[in-house]
Every structure is written in C-alpha cells, then in structure tokens.
Amino acid sequence: MRSSLLLIALMVSFIGFSQEPIIENIEIEGLKRTKESFIRRLIKVKPGSVYDSLKIATDIERLNRLPGVANANSTIIENSATKYSVTYTIVENFTIIPGLRVSQANNGEESAFRVSAFEFNLFGQGQLLGGFYSKDVFNSYGVFWEAPFLFSNKLGVGVNYQSNITFEPIFAENNGVSEDFRYRKQAFQASLLYEHDFHNRAELGFSFGNQEYNLQPDQPNTELPDQIKASTIGIIGEYEFNDLLIEYQYLSGFRNQTNIEYLFNSGASEFIPNAFIGINNLEYFKRVGKKGNFANRLKLSYTTNRDSPFAPFTLDNQINIRGVGNTVDRGTASIVLNTEYRHTLFEKGWFVVQGNTFLDAGTWRNPGNDISQLFDGSSVRVNPGLGLRFIHKRIFNTVIRIDYGFGIANAKTSGLVFGIGQFF
C-alpha cells in the first residue's frame, strides 16, 4: 500500500513539474491615444495561452512597427511556477505629421514644393488619413484613407484620389532635346489590404481615371503631338516582406516591396499604350556599433511601354539620385542603388542629429532602346554626397534631411536636396 501511494505521489509530482507555464493575464501600459482593444487584437499572445518567449518577442517587433508606437518592450512576472503575467509597456508616437518637400520647378524658373499633413493613428486604431497639395508650375492635390485592420487583425482597405498636374519635360528620340508638356493625371484607387503574418503583407486593387498631355508654347519641333488624352483603368498589386528590427532611429534587417500594375489606356494607344509596370525595392539595414547604421536600397523598375517617349519613370533628386536635379531624364527601365552610412552625432531625450555619407548610382534605359542599355555604361549616373538628418524620436517618421550630392561620371550636376521624411 505504501509503495502504491509513493508511486502516485511521484506521478503527480512529475505531472506538476512537466506542466508548461500559462499566461495568466496581459497588461498594457503607456497608452494615451491608441485604443487598448486595438493592441489586444494585434498581439498574438493571449491570456490562457502557453508561455512562448518567441511569440512575445514577435509581438514587440510588431508593435514597434506601428506608426503610433515609438517604442515597446515587455516584462514577465512569475506569479507561480505555472502561471506568468506579461506586461507590454508602450511609448507612443505623435502621429499628426506635416510634410514639406522643396525643389526647383521643372521649368527652371520657379520653385516647386509639396506640403502635406497625415494622421497615422486615426481613432487610435492605426488608420491613416491625410492629403497633400503641391505646385510644380501647376497645382496638384490628393487625399488618402487607409485602414489596414478595419475588418480583422489581417484584413483592411485603402482608398485615395489624386489630381496631379505637373510641368513635364518629354525627351524626344535620343538627341537630348525635350519638349515641355502640361501633364494632368486624375485617378481614384481602392485596394484590399491583407497581412498574412508578421512578415508578409499584400494589396490588391484597381484604379480608374484619365491622363492628358498638352504641349506648352514656344517649344522646339520634335514631331511630338500637341495633345494626348487617354482614359485609364489599372489593376494594382503589392507584396511586402518585412524583417526589420526598429529601435528609434536605428534599423536592422531587410525589407522587400514589389509593386506591379497593368494599365489599360484607351484613346492614345500609339503614345500611351497598354502597359505592364513593375517596381521592386530591396532595402537592407545593419547596425554598426552603438551609433552607426548602414542603409542600402536597390530599386529595379521595368515597363513594357518601351518605345513611347512618354515613359513612366523619371530620374530626379527626390526619390532616385540626390544632387542629379529635378526630372533630368525619363526611362522605361532602371537600376538605382542608394547606399549610405548614418552616424548619431548628438542625442538628448527626443532629439537626434545624424550625419550621413552616401553614394547614389543609377542606370537608365531610354525610350526605344534595348534592355542592354542598362549595362553598357551610356546612361550611368553616380553621385556621392554628405548630409545631415534631424530626428524627433517621439513623432512618427519625422526626419528633416539635408543632402548635397556631387555629380561624377555621366551625372555632372551637383545640388542640395531638402526634405521631411525618410529618403528610403
């Protein structure tokens, strides 16, 4: 009898020791504008689930990517041998963000600018609402709403309307001569947003609108038409793999974004034909010591609209090569590499100053040329440069950047580039 009781006691003891610890409760601290119900819907760890340190670490990474979160961390408390409590502590971002971009207008006589304002944490649920107004000789505007978790913690929606009217140089043939057009594009776009898991998200949508080119007075005769009009319907897809670790101004890991679009254009098939457009952005970041950050972006662009001079890709100093100028060329395919080293020079509280040295390089396929032009060296641009970045750690994506790019190789131009927000 005694041996049977001893055996039962040993079995009970073994079961007790082998039982996996359970998350008894989850606390969320530090929230002011963000809804706690929204955070609880996003995190994977739930009360009553088995304790899993990897899931908790994944939740922290997920929270740190939210526009409304400046920083998140976790604390684990053992209530007993088999029951744990988890506390997520969140430092919120200020998410009503103004934007400003200034450059020389495409006509070379005026200044161009773009002002914007966006709320990135509308209703405390990670929704985006905002718009922009810009002037590049002519006036443009756009409005945007995006709710990535409107229907569930995986499914949402986004819509926008844009009316862009710009002064566009169109390069005829390969003789360097351009004609200036007033380009108007109006489009409404709606998309479904789906986040498969922590690393993978996708969008699928459509757009419809119209576009119109009107030749400006006193232009050289390059046999381009005076006016082109087309109605446009587009099917749009986007896929993103995100494996970034974010700690305030420092990033590590990589992210890949692929955007594809097929445009059905009616009314101007010769100059604006139906076209497939694909753009892939691969970004890689690496921490260097305590204050350094290595940042890289490889951008690949391609369109089947090979022959028309009204090519979809523009070479400029705002999103491609710093210092090269504002819309200096157009292309139907491109390879652009941006690489830079950022180093924190000063940091106190919420304020950070970083210095950066960069090398921007790109090669272009001009309309009518073969894909081999990307590799024959005839269109290579290389611009090294230096810059400063002023960062507010508690305001989402607030980076005031000033860069000066020096032109070498085929890119002989140098110039100052100013902007608010990440270049990449």
Side-chain angles (χ1 to χ4, degrees):
M1 181 68 175
R2 183 178 297 175
S3 60
S4 298
L5 291 174
L6 180 60
L7 179 60
I8 293 172
L10 288 173
M11 291 177 65
V12 171
S13 177
F14 177 77
I15 293 172
F17 280 116
S18 63
Q19 184 177 348
E20 293 180 299
I22 300 297
I23 302 297
E24 187 173 30
N25 66 292
I26 298 173
E27 299 292 332
I28 300 175
E29 298 179 348
L31 297 182
K32 297 177 181 178
R33 295 187 64 242
T34 305
K35 301 293 185 183
E36 182 173 328
S37 58
F38 171 66
I39 298 297
R40 289 186 180 274
R41 187 150 56 100
L42 288 186
I43 60 178
K44 304 301 182 185
V45 176
K46 306 295 182 183
S49 62
V50 175
Y51 171 76
D52 187 330
S53 60
L54 182 58
K55 279 189 176 180
I56 294 174
T58 300
D59 279 345
I60 293 301
E61 289 184 49
R62 180 69 186 87
L63 294 175
N64 278 323
R65 292 182 192 174
L66 292 175
V69 175
N71 187 255
N73 58 64
S74 63
T75 303
I76 313 299
I77 299 175
E78 294 188 23
N79 300 330
S80 67
T82 59
K83 293 182 179 180
Y84 290 1
S85 292
V86 180
T87 299
Y88 291 105
T89 303
I90 293 173
V91 178
E92 288 192 327
N93 269 327
F94 183 77
T95 54
I96 303 176
I97 311 302
L100 175 65
R101 191 172 73 193
V102 179
S103 63
Q104 186 182 45
N106 274 331
N107 64 4
E109 300 174 359
E110 306 173 34
S111 293
F113 66 89
R114 172 184 165 118
V115 294
S116 62
F118 284 87
E119 162 63 276
F120 288 89
N121 194 21
L122 185 68
F123 306 130
Q125 297 188 21
Q127 298 185 20
L128 176 150
L129 178 67
F132 74 87
Y133 168 79
S134 68
K135 184 173 183 181
D136 185 352
V137 182
F138 306 107
N139 301 319
S140 303
Y141 66 92
V143 290
F144 302 80
W145 175 61
E146 189 173 289
F149 307 106
L150 181 65
F151 305 120
S152 70
N153 63 356
K154 290 180 177 291
L155 186 64
V157 67
V159 296
N160 69 75
Y161 175 79
Q162 297 184 66
S163 176
N164 288 297
I165 307 176
T166 54
F167 189 91
E168 294 285 342
I170 303 299
F171 298 87
E173 306 300 333
N174 290 315
N175 55 14
V177 177
S178 66
E179 288 190 349
D180 295 325
F181 283 79
R182 177 183 182 270
Y183 174 56
R184 184 186 70 172
K185 181 179 181 181
Q186 296 173 308
F188 172 82
Q189 178 179 326
S191 300
L192 282 176
L193 318 177
Y194 179 71
E195 185 176 283
H196 177 67
D197 57 28
F198 174 62
H199 295 293
N200 298 274
R201 58 174 292 273
E203 295 185 19
L204 180 64
F206 71 93
S207 66
F208 62 87
N210 57 74
Q211 51 185 320
E212 180 179 344
Y213 288 89
N214 287 283
L215 185 67
Q216 297 301 284
D218 303 321
Q219 298 301 305
N221 181 14
T222 59
E223 299 183 354
L224 291 177
D226 293 344
Q227 186 181 65
I228 301 173
K229 292 183 178 181
S231 298
T232 301
I233 297 176
I235 300 174
I236 302 159
E238 179 180 330
Y239 172 76
E240 177 185 85
F241 177 83
N242 190 331
D243 192 25
L244 291 180
L245 292 174
I246 302 172
E247 186 179 353
Y248 292 112
Q249 71 268 29
Y250 299 112
L251 295 90
S252 58
F254 73 94
R255 173 173 57 191
N256 191 81
Q257 294 175 302
T258 302
N259 296 273
I260 59 174
E261 183 175 8
Y262 195 89
L263 295 176
F264 299 90
N265 295 304
S266 63
S269 59
E270 180 183 356
F271 292 96
I272 314 177
N274 296 342
F276 167 86
I277 298 173
I279 300 173
N280 192 85
N281 281 299
L282 175 62
E283 300 171 340
Y284 173 72
F285 302 88
K286 182 176 177 58
R287 290 287 299 270
V288 181
K290 292 184 177 180
K291 296 185 176 182
N293 215 162
F294 189 45
N296 305 270
R297 180 184 71 168
L298 177 64
K299 182 178 182 179
L300 308 176
S301 306
Y302 175 80
T303 179
T304 56
N305 179 12
R306 187 176 74 89
D307 297 322
S308 173
F310 297 88
F313 307 130
T314 58
L315 177 63
D316 63 19
N317 60 16
Q318 290 294 332
I319 60 173
N320 289 303
I321 298 178
R322 285 162 282 192
V324 76
N326 191 42
T327 311
V328 298
D329 205 350
R330 308 185 79 91
T332 57
S334 67
I335 301 173
V336 177
L337 176 65
N338 309 107
T339 183
E340 71 179 40
Y341 173 72
R342 305 166 182 169
H343 192 85
T344 299
L345 304 175
F346 175 83
E347 181 172 4
K348 187 175 174 109
W350 55 264
F351 182 63
V352 176
V353 179
Q354 286 184 324
N356 67 293
T357 178
F358 63 84
L359 178 68
D360 293 346
T363 177
W364 230 248
R365 180 180 72 172
N366 297 118
N369 286 9
D370 294 328
I371 199 73
S372 60
Q373 188 185 13
L374 292 175
F375 309 102
D376 65 14
S378 63
S379 61
V380 171
R381 273 90 166 180
V382 180
N383 277 40
L386 301 169
L388 287 172
R389 295 158 55 87
F390 303 91
I391 302 170
H392 194 304
K393 292 168 62 175
R394 301 287 194 275
I395 301 179
F396 173 65
N397 199 30
T398 299
V399 180
I400 299 175
R401 51 182 176 82
I402 302 173
D403 297 305
Y404 191 88
F406 303 89
I408 61 176
N410 291 333
K412 300 300 184 182
T413 57
S414 301
L416 192 68
V417 183
F418 169 81
I420 295 180
Q422 296 279 5
F423 182 80
F424 65 93

